[in-house]
Amino acid sequence: MDINEVNFTDTAQVGQLSQLDQWLEEAVHDTFPSGPIVPGSAAKGRLYDQARHLMGVIVDYKELMMMYACAMKEIQTKFDVLNMEFKSRYQRNPISSISTRLKKTTSIAEKLARKGAAFSPESIERNLHDVAGIRVVCSYIDDIYILADALLRQDDITLIKRKDYIENPKPNGYRSLHLIVSVPVFFSDQKKSMEVEVQIRTIAMDFWASLEHQLRYKQSYPDKQGIAAELQRCADTINETDLTMQRLRDEIEAIEDAPTEEDVLLEKLSRIDIAIN
């Protein structure tokens, strides 16, 4: 077996990940869960080999997580720049909030186990595309596509996969635009392309998804089918609200009077302060 590879082929074995540091400490103190190790024994040798093996996994794994975290920062900066540009040019912020997350170690191990893949940095990069995630919450539906197109037009962004759950919602009513993108990250000794999952949704979509997530992970509750149906109806209502708000904004913008030369000058002057701030 490669020193950088651990086989977690069963989700029941995932709990071993929480024992990595414990095993290393036991190796240092010459102890084992069943008691002390006799110096020079074969068991001690096996334990040290296992500790070295696990240390290799830990070091490489932490390095990979650092790279994913840096990739998230790269994507977040790109959205921050777009938001600042919109504020300066159009006096509005299309982005309400941005959040990031790295998938937890247990979640990574469980997902690899379901795929029948080993736990190693190479396996993670090869089999998982959502280790690093960034969620962008917008006010209006059209902002979702404007921001997605603006991101994908950047020449250092490569689109890996696109799933539009707004045009084609999930059966439970979930709506969001998902993009898997690759972005180059420059480190002190190398340039490495890293994948990041980008989710873009409206405030209303995010509100529904957050509550649905909480309810779905409750231990037990009666009438699951009935609650699922209610949640789907709520999702439809929220979608209608999103569409109505979009239409109202479009109508208001359409009936605005054409600006005078004086208005244009004042607007340009106001942009100076906005850009500086």
Side-chain angles (χ1 to χ4, degrees), residues 19-231:
Q19 299 176 351
L20 295 184
D21 291 334
Q22 178 185 336
W23 285 8
L24 293 172
E25 184 177 353
E26 289 167 353
V28 171
H29 293 91
D30 294 340
T31 61
F32 193 70
S34 59
I37 299 292
V38 179
S41 68
K44 180 178 177 180
R46 289 196 299 271
L47 183 57
Y48 273 113
D49 288 343
Q50 192 173 47
R52 285 196 301 270
H53 168 74
L54 294 174
M55 179 60 79
V57 174
I58 292 172
V59 170
D60 290 345
Y61 174 74
K62 287 185 175 180
E63 177 85 0
L64 181 62
M65 291 301 104
M66 177 274 293
M67 292 180 173
Y68 275 121
C70 291
M72 286 193 308
K73 286 188 176 182
E74 291 281 352
I75 299 296
Q76 182 172 1
T77 298
K78 289 178 179 295
F79 280 114
D80 286 336
V81 169
L82 290 172
N83 204 36
M84 185 178 295
E85 176 192 358
F86 269 73
K87 181 178 180 181
S88 177
R89 290 186 176 182
Y90 309 113
Q91 288 74 59
R92 75 181 188 88
N93 296 101
I95 298 176
S96 174
S97 65
I98 300 177
S99 59
T100 61
R101 70 101 181 93
L102 277 177
K103 190 178 283 292
K104 293 181 179 179
T105 303
T106 50
S107 296
I108 290 173
E110 287 169 355
K111 195 164 187 178
L112 288 173
R114 289 196 298 270
K115 291 175 175 285
F119 186 96
S120 71
E122 296 79 8
S123 178
I124 291 170
E125 289 190 86
R126 184 171 58 253
N127 293 288
L128 304 184
H129 306 285
D130 61 346
V131 174
I134 182 166
R135 181 175 299 153
V136 180
V137 179
C138 306
S139 298
Y140 300 97
I141 293 176
D142 64 348
D143 288 336
I144 294 174
Y145 297 103
I146 290 171
L147 289 169
D149 291 343
L151 176 69
L152 296 176
R153 280 196 299 270
Q154 299 186 24
D155 57 14
D156 60 342
I157 293 292
T158 301
L159 177 65
I160 306 298
K161 184 181 294 185
R162 178 185 181 119
K163 289 187 177 180
D164 191 340
Y165 295 115
I166 301 173
E167 289 293 327
N168 302 288
K170 289 186 177 182
N172 66 347
Y174 174 86
R175 288 175 170 83
S176 183
L177 178 65
H178 288 199
L179 307 172
I180 304 293
V181 300
S182 175
V183 61
V185 184
F186 292 83
F187 301 100
S188 61
D189 59 347
Q190 64 175 310
K191 178 182 78 170
K192 185 173 178 63
S193 292
M194 303 297 299
E195 291 185 2
V196 178
E197 182 189 52
V198 179
Q199 298 178 1
I200 314 178
R201 59 180 66 157
T202 65
I203 296 171
M205 293 174 191
D206 190 57
F207 165 75
W208 181 92
S210 297
L211 294 183
E212 191 273 342
H213 179 81
Q214 292 176 20
L215 293 172
R216 180 156 42 93
Y217 283 93
K218 292 290 185 182
Q219 293 296 324
S220 61
Y221 52 86
D223 192 20
K224 288 188 177 182
Q225 291 185 342
I227 291 176
E230 288 288 342
L231 283 169

